[in-house]
């Protein structure tokens, strides 16, 4: 009897993040390619959520990659992996035991990302402070909720922290070869799609002759019904009962449709110029370190004279 190597159906590439930088767009692009298998949910959060991780690699494979078959390229996209890199990078290293796995990391102007993540938290009913107050409260909130946030791999309250790209990337670069990383800037997909996509296809050893449709995912929205949004996003006794009755794949499909139906387009308020300048100054050391790490000119992200 021939036993199949379980790693033949596990991911051989991961989109690590950053959150609100274009990971959903990359996920949806990859789903279009016939040589790629992506799971039914964008963010399995296996390596970042301690409860999922304890279920083991076989659960991860059976739950998200059971239908991968002989697909040569298999991936997933969990931005929490970059945010929680200090534990996730080592978990991935131990799981893959020297096998090659490639990483795609996409970045966005860190101030824009922080502000977009803030509105994402507002939309989900997890934030009720103004942005400036949320930034001021961030260190205290992260410390007070440290145990819960770490266990669940949550990015709640991580506005400035989630934009500290260099610090987040370092644990991965410390453990994996540099040639196994492909770095993108969100603007690469927005302004230079015809060149950015072939480079990504080459990195993943995919047929670049396949036409993939350019798209923009996750537009700015707010919920039509905040109570429904909160019910769908937060843990509750009702959700725990439904988990026992409805399979994960079906729950995800239902939740996705309800969230989509409950969303209405709403552009964010313009960020205060003084607050933007202050946040850029705060993040400047991280931006300069990232420039050296990925070999890209990021001066447009720095405080402007």
């Amino acid at each position: 009897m021939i036993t199949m190597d379980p790693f033949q159906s596990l991911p051989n590439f991961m989109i690590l993040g950053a959150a609100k930088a274009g990971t959903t767009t990359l996920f949806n692009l990859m789903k279009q390619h016939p040589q790629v298998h992506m799971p039914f949910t964008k963010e399995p959060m296996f390596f970042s959520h301690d409860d999922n991780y304890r279920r083991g690699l076989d659960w991860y494979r059976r739950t998200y990659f059971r239908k991968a078959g002989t697909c040569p390229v298999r991936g997933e996209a969990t931005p929490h992996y970059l945010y929680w890199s200090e534990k996730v990078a080592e978990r991935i290293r131990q799981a893959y035991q020297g096998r090659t796995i490639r990483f795609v990391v996409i970045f966005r102007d860190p101030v824009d990302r922080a502000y977009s993540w803030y509105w994402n938290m507002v939309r989900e009913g997890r934030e009720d402070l103004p942005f400036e107050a949320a930034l001021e409260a961030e260190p205290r909130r992260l410390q007070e909720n440290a145990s819960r946030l770490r266990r669940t791999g949550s990015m709640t309250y991580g506005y400035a922290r989630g934009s500290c790209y260099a610090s987040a990337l370092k644990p991965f670069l410390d453990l994996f070869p540099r040639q196994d990383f492909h770095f993108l800037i969100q603007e690469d997909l927005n302004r230079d799609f015809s060149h950015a996509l072939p480079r990504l296809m080459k990195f993943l050893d995919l047929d670049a002759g396949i036409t993939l449709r350019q798209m923009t995912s996750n537009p700015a929205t707010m919920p039509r019904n905040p109570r429904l949004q909160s019910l769908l996003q937060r843990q509750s006794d009702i959700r725990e009962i439904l988990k026992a009755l409805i399979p994960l794949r079906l729950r995800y499909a239902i939740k996705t449709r309800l969230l989509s139906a409950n969303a209405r387009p709403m552009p964010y308020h313009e960020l205060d110029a003084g607050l933007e300048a202050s946040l850029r100054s705060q993040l400047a050391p991280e931006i300069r370190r990232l420039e050296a790490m990925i070999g890209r000119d990021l001066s447009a992200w720095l405080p402007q004279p």
Side-chain angles (χ1 to χ4, degrees):
M1 180 178 178
I2 299 176
T3 303
M4 187 186 77
D5 181 354
F7 285 91
Q8 290 180 0
S9 57
L10 281 174
N12 49 24
F13 85 96
M14 294 181 183
I15 300 169
L16 297 178
K20 307 305 294 183
T23 56
T24 302
T25 296
L26 286 177
F27 174 76
N28 288 329
L29 277 171
M30 293 297 97
K31 284 175 66 176
Q32 296 179 47
H33 203 293
Q35 296 174 322
V36 178
H37 172 84
M38 303 296 280
F40 63 90
T41 177
K42 176 197 162 206
E43 301 174 4
M45 295 192 287
F46 174 72
F47 291 98
S48 55
H49 196 304
D50 292 359
D51 296 347
N52 290 342
Y53 185 66
R54 278 193 288 267
R55 290 171 169 150
L57 275 177
D58 190 54
W59 174 85
Y60 177 51
R61 179 184 59 78
R62 286 186 289 103
T63 303
Y64 297 106
F65 300 94
R66 179 171 51 88
K67 296 186 177 182
T70 58
C71 204
V73 180
R74 306 167 303 277
E76 63 129 304
T78 302
H80 306 69
Y81 291 172
L82 185 65
Y83 187 92
W84 287 103
S85 58
E86 76 273 13
K87 70 174 181 179
V88 169
E90 175 60 23
R91 287 177 174 180
I92 294 175
R93 187 193 69 81
Q94 291 180 7
Y96 281 77
Q97 303 173 17
R99 294 174 173 85
T100 297
I101 180 166
R102 285 170 285 192
F103 302 103
V104 177
V105 194
I106 185 167
F107 302 104
R108 176 185 183 182
D109 180 306
V111 172
D112 291 347
R113 191 223 69 86
Y115 195 47
S116 180
W117 184 245
Y118 164 78
W119 282 108
N120 186 82
M121 292 291 96
V122 172
R123 182 175 68 244
E124 293 186 1
R126 302 173 191 267
E127 180 59 84
D128 54 11
L129 293 178
F131 185 48
E132 184 172 12
L135 287 172
E136 292 175 357
E138 180 175 341
R140 172 182 57 79
R141 287 164 137 186
L142 291 177
Q143 183 176 18
E144 290 175 353
N145 296 279
S147 178
R148 174 181 61 83
L149 295 174
R150 179 179 174 81
R151 180 182 66 80
T152 60
S154 173
M155 298 185 287
T156 304
Y157 310 130
Y159 308 118
R161 172 179 164 167
S163 290
C164 292
Y165 301 143
S167 295
L169 184 60
K170 186 177 185 302
F172 279 100
L173 292 179
D174 286 346
L175 295 178
F176 297 95
R178 174 62 176 76
Q179 66 266 23
D180 293 336
F181 291 82
H182 183 74
F183 301 115
L184 285 163
I185 306 300
Q186 189 185 57
E187 289 77 5
D188 296 340
L189 297 181
N190 295 338
R191 302 173 187 170
D192 196 21
F193 184 81
S194 62
H195 290 92
L197 186 63
R199 290 194 291 266
L200 176 60
M201 297 298 100
K202 182 178 180 180
F203 172 73
L204 295 174
D205 294 326
L206 290 169
D207 182 356
I210 302 294
T211 300
L212 303 184
R213 179 172 52 86
Q214 187 174 6
M215 58 179 62
T216 301
S217 303
N218 275 354
T221 63
M222 289 297 286
R224 300 177 191 275
N225 186 325
R227 292 184 64 185
L228 174 60
Q229 190 82 3
S230 180
L231 178 64
L232 292 170
Q233 296 287 5
R234 295 191 173 192
Q235 296 297 323
S236 65
D237 292 340
I238 294 176
R239 286 189 63 180
E240 292 304 312
I241 292 172
L242 292 176
K243 282 183 181 181
L245 299 174
I246 305 175
L248 176 60
R249 185 184 294 267
L250 181 56
R251 292 202 313 269
Y252 176 77
I254 293 171
K255 178 181 175 180
T256 300
R257 291 182 182 180
L258 288 173
L259 286 172
S260 178
N262 194 41
R264 59 187 173 94
M266 178 176 285
Y268 308 141
H269 302 300
E270 186 174 348
L271 178 59
D272 176 78
L275 182 55
E276 175 186 349
S278 175
L279 190 51
R280 288 198 186 282
S281 295
Q282 177 184 336
L283 294 171
E286 287 281 337
I287 296 169
R288 294 190 179 97
R289 286 176 61 206
L290 185 68
E291 280 187 319
M293 285 179 170
I294 70 174
R296 292 283 299 263
D297 176 10
L298 304 175
S299 56
W301 295 354
L302 291 167
Q304 300 302 306

